[in-house]
């Protein structure tokens, strides 16, 4: 399995633990939307797409079947998230430079 594309949309509200939402493309033929990047107490982690159950809980609707695949998805999504953060920071700094 190859993750052939990752698209990240940063969440702009600083007070939220949700920091981004990602879509991943697997082998150029299967897309998974709504992979969430969440800020934990020590680091960031991902949460797979889920739906609310009648009892108020949540259940993943898409998820990896083994830890190796979960780790691959986590690594690729968090890498793309950090890149998107860096690009946003650079864009903000560049805008600040042009306003002076």
């Amino acid at each position: 399995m190859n993750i052939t594309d990752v698209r990240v949309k940063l969440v702009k509200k600083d007070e939220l633990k949700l920091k981004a939402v990602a879509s991943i493309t697997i082998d150029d033929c299967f897309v998974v939307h709504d992979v969430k990047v969440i800020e934990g107490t020590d680091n960031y982690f991902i949460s797979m797409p889920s739906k609310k159950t009648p009892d108020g809980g949540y259940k993943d609707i898409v998820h990896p079947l083994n830890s190796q695949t979960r780790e691959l998805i986590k690594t690729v999504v968090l890498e793309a998230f950090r890149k998107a953060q860096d690009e946003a920071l650079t864009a903000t700094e560049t805008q600040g430079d042009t306003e002076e």
Side-chain angles (χ1 to χ4, degrees), residues 5-43:
D5 189 33
V6 180
R7 296 176 188 228
V8 175
K9 291 191 180 203
L10 298 175
V11 174
K12 304 282 186 198
K13 297 182 180 180
D14 290 335
E15 67 274 4
L16 296 178
K17 290 187 180 286
L18 176 65
K19 297 302 177 186
V21 178
S23 294
I24 61 170
T25 303
I26 299 169
D27 292 330
D28 286 324
C29 64
F30 189 83
V31 177
V32 178
H33 296 291
D34 295 331
V35 177
K36 296 169 190 68
V37 177
I38 299 172
E39 183 177 25
T41 53
D42 295 331
N43 54 14

Side-chain angles (χ1 to χ4, degrees), residues 25-92:
T25 303
I26 299 169
D27 292 330
D28 286 324
C29 64
F30 189 83
V31 177
V32 178
H33 296 291
D34 295 331
V35 177
K36 296 169 190 68
V37 177
I38 299 172
E39 183 177 25
T41 53
D42 295 331
N43 54 14
Y44 294 101
F45 63 93
I46 64 167
S47 175
M48 299 306 289
S50 60
K51 67 177 180 177
K52 197 169 190 174
T53 60
D55 65 359
Y58 288 89
K59 179 178 174 121
D60 286 350
I61 55 175
V62 176
H63 60 88
L65 294 178
N66 58 55
S67 58
Q68 179 182 3
T69 304
R70 177 171 288 281
E71 190 60 34
L72 171 65
I73 293 169
K74 177 182 137 185
T75 300
V76 171
V77 169
L78 292 181
E79 188 175 288
F81 166 66
R82 289 184 184 99
K83 183 178 178 184
Q85 280 185 313
D86 290 346
E87 289 172 357
L89 181 62
T90 300
T92 301

